[in-house]
Amino acid sequence: MGDAAKDLIAGTMGGVAQLVVGHPFDTIKVKLQSQAAPMLGQAPKYAGAIDAVKKTLAEEGPRGLYKGMGAPLAAVAMFNAVLFTARGQMEALFRSEPGVSLSVSQQVICGAGAGVAVSFVACPAELIKCRLQAQSAIATADVSIFAADGVGGGVAASAMGKGGRYTGPLDVARRVLQLEGGLIGLYKGFAPTLLREVPGNALMFGVYESLKQSFAGGKDTSQLGRGALLTAGGLAGASFWMAVYPTDVIKSVVQVDDYKYPKYSGTLNAFRKIYASEGLKGLYKGFSPAMIRSVPANAACFLAYEVVRSSVG
């Protein structure tokens, strides 16, 4: 079995582990990111992460925390296969011979290259996921909030889709393809996705390798135990979100924005409007659940990848 196939299999299993552990946190993150700014004197729908969890459980039950999981579950094989396989192929370009360990700076470059590749998979999958996760928050919000904000209900209409609420991932994809310009509609938010994935993965893989080498006392990290791998993976995942979180907020609001009557004309316009209306705080909506999610989810992902990768040779 070739190295690319091994990375594909191990990356897929890492992604499954990451998704199962992290999706509930991601649901709360997107709900906090996508809720409209309240009118003066009114409270937001969710006061914070804990409040969002309580209201989601009360209104939708435990299944509400896993809403939108179908799209990333269907795409997780391709997403993580592309990420780890692209990284593996980049590593091969730097190696003088098979099995030679790379430096941290080389891993940073490999992570950036993998980020470019995975953006083409992440963008449509996350658009579908964000629409499903956001619709329950937006559909029950006071429509007057959207009208007062100059949106005219556009975000709410986009989140639910023409003809009512989305019924699932395939319904989102079908409506976007039919009503939002075909395939290009599924790549709405590609620019902020790319701006998130390239520097984020560069930092994440660099931190992961740096921590592994630190724990191992050198470049040979093959004998590290699972505890060290979990720690390195969790902290590496946290570094990803600490570096690029505002970009993720912009991506989410752009992807749930209305197609016909958009509130945002693009990535920079979204940044300016969020910052103008909500300040720096607006760019960090949902930060707490994202950070809480990142440690266990990425720890599970990297451990699963390393275990499976070593087991397949």
Side-chain angles (χ1 to χ4, degrees), residues 45-78:
K45 178 176 174 63
Y46 304 117
I50 300 300
D51 185 51
V53 171
K54 290 178 179 177
K55 289 181 177 177
T56 299
L57 289 174
E59 296 170 1
E60 306 173 57
R63 291 182 62 183
L65 294 173
Y66 282 91
K67 182 165 288 184
M69 187 172 169
L73 187 60
V76 72
M78 185 180 299

Side-chain angles (χ1 to χ4, degrees), residues 18 29 79-80 82-84 107-126 129 189-205 240-241 243-245 247-248 251 255 293 298:
Q18 182 184 53
K29 172 179 71 73
F79 182 96
N80 284 276
V82 169
L83 180 66
F84 283 97
Q107 286 290 355
V108 168
I109 297 172
C110 291
V116 173
V118 82
S119 294
F120 289 92
V121 180
C123 186
E126 293 200 4
K129 174 178 67 69
F190 181 75
T193 299
L194 194 67
L195 291 172
R196 182 193 69 180
E197 293 295 329
V198 174
N201 280 294
L203 180 61
M204 183 176 71
F205 283 111
F240 180 104
W241 289 110
V244 300
Y245 192 80
T247 309
D248 185 68
K251 178 197 72 68
Q255 288 187 323
R293 167 195 178 274
N298 285 284

Side-chain angles (χ1 to χ4, degrees), residues 85-273:
T85 302
R87 175 199 174 215
Q89 294 304 299
M90 291 286 290
E91 287 178 329
L93 296 176
F94 284 108
R95 286 197 176 103
S96 56
E97 58 183 78
V100 174
S101 297
L102 301 184
S103 66
V104 173
S105 60
Q106 289 172 324
Q107 286 290 355
V108 168
I109 297 172
C110 291
V116 173
V118 82
S119 294
F120 289 92
V121 180
C123 186
E126 293 200 4
L127 181 140
I128 293 170
K129 174 178 67 69
C130 285
R131 296 281 179 96
L132 289 170
Q133 290 174 325
Q135 74 173 354
S136 61
I138 297 173
T140 56
D142 185 349
V143 175
S144 65
I145 293 177
F146 296 100
D149 197 32
V151 183
V155 179
S158 175
M160 291 192 297
K162 183 178 179 180
R165 293 170 64 87
Y166 294 123
T167 59
L170 291 179
D171 186 44
V172 179
R174 178 179 61 81
R175 295 195 206 182
V176 171
L177 289 171
Q178 289 179 351
L179 304 173
E180 300 187 26
L183 186 62
I184 195 171
L186 289 174
Y187 279 89
K188 185 177 185 179
F190 181 75
T193 299
L194 194 67
L195 291 172
R196 182 193 69 180
E197 293 295 329
V198 174
N201 280 294
L203 180 61
M204 183 176 71
F205 283 111
V207 168
Y208 182 62
E209 187 63 27
S210 177
L211 289 171
K212 284 204 305 176
Q213 291 185 16
S214 177
F215 294 151
K219 284 190 175 183
D220 183 7
T221 61
S222 61
Q223 301 304 313
L224 284 177
R226 294 186 177 185
L229 294 174
L230 282 169
T231 302
L235 292 176
S239 72
F240 180 104
W241 289 110
M242 289 181 70
V244 300
Y245 192 80
T247 309
D248 185 68
V249 173
I250 293 169
K251 178 197 72 68
S252 292
V253 299
V254 167
Q255 288 187 323
V256 301
D257 199 10
D258 187 58
Y259 174 66
K260 290 186 176 179
Y261 306 102
K263 179 180 179 181
Y264 308 109
S265 61
T267 301
L268 288 176
N269 182 253
F271 169 79
R272 293 189 184 112
K273 286 187 175 181

